[in-house]
Amino acid sequence: MVNPHHDGTHPDASARTDRTVVVTGGTDGMGRAVVLGRAARGDRVLAVGSNPRKGERLLADAAASELADRIEFLAADLSTLAGNRAVIDHVTATYESIDGLVLAANRQSPRRVETSDGFESTFALYYLSRYLLGHGLISALSAGSKPVIVNIAGVGLTSGKIHWDDLRMGRRYLTIAAQLQAGRANDLLGVAMAAEFGEQVPYVLYHPGFTRSGDSAMEQVGPLTRAVIKTVAAIAARSVERAIAPVHAFLDSPPRVPLTAVDRDKPVPLDLKTLDPADAKRLAEATSAMLAAAEPTADPREDGLR
């Protein structure tokens, strides 16, 4: 679904800028705040989300703030290959270049859910979509002015592991184990992307810490667990505004090095064990093989999925 007020191609001349930012998870929590904040700064923003009703609310709030001509909403299920393909196709057909890609889509699942492509849903949404969109939009980013990719995940944490012999977690599934595996996979994704593309498009791994973000991450969590999390969040969590301030800083002034890792305002040493280049290469090869098996005629290395 696209913003009915703005087709993303011909914004009002008075609001036109030279910057375009794509934000996944853009209708809730930190992603939503980034979308509205970038639009307020004068950027054109494509907000990607899976819930059309949340998209409509985002557009309504944008209109109320006189930002409707700067924000476009695209509904897409990023846990599927088709959903990621739709985003890549839309962006490359609509924009000559993009200047920022903010990856914020994530959702917890208390039980193992297999996507239509045969992947475990947390792995598919939290990691695979970021792999696909990063690769699929790299040409558009390379054509941008001071481009950057910001991956909002859990860099700096060392708990959890990659289940190399069971990436789909078919033998034993636990919610936290699935989240941690995808988080560690994103760490390695940043290392691999920076090694291949970082001189042209710097890559930022950013862990905002415990944040009072939106409801989407808890939509599948039971009412008791949800109540406990909300209670703790009210006391201990960061505000969304504080959590996304570094994201705006990365977009405004991209780092001059291929890879930057920040955990709650503190730099993460790039020799941390979770950022091992050999593991990054291993995961990249495993991911490419998984995608090739899911879509035998596709070449995910060329433009994301085609």
Side-chain angles (χ1 to χ4, degrees), residues 153-165:
V155 71
L157 299 179
T158 56
S159 54
K161 65 179 183 178
I162 305 293
H163 298 260
W164 295 107
D165 61 343

Side-chain angles (χ1 to χ4, degrees), residues 111-199:
R111 60 185 178 84
R112 186 181 185 277
V113 175
E114 191 168 288
T115 70
S116 58
D117 304 300
F119 300 113
E120 186 274 312
S121 61
T122 301
F123 190 76
L125 177 62
Y126 190 9
Y127 165 67
L128 277 183
S129 73
R130 301 181 186 211
Y131 175 99
L132 292 166
L133 293 175
H135 284 91
L137 297 176
I138 199 68
S139 294
L141 283 158
S142 296
S145 173
K146 296 192 299 183
V148 65
I149 299 175
V150 181
N151 186 334
I152 301 176
V155 71
L157 299 179
T158 56
S159 54
K161 65 179 183 178
I162 305 293
H163 298 260
W164 295 107
D165 61 343
D166 188 24
L167 290 173
R168 302 171 196 252
M169 302 194 74
R171 290 197 288 272
R172 185 167 185 262
Y173 177 88
L174 294 171
T175 301
I176 187 63
Q179 282 286 317
L180 289 173
Q181 170 172 255
R184 300 294 70 76
N186 275 303
D187 294 346
L188 298 178
L189 173 61
V191 173
M193 289 288 291
E196 187 169 359
F197 306 112
E199 294 295 338

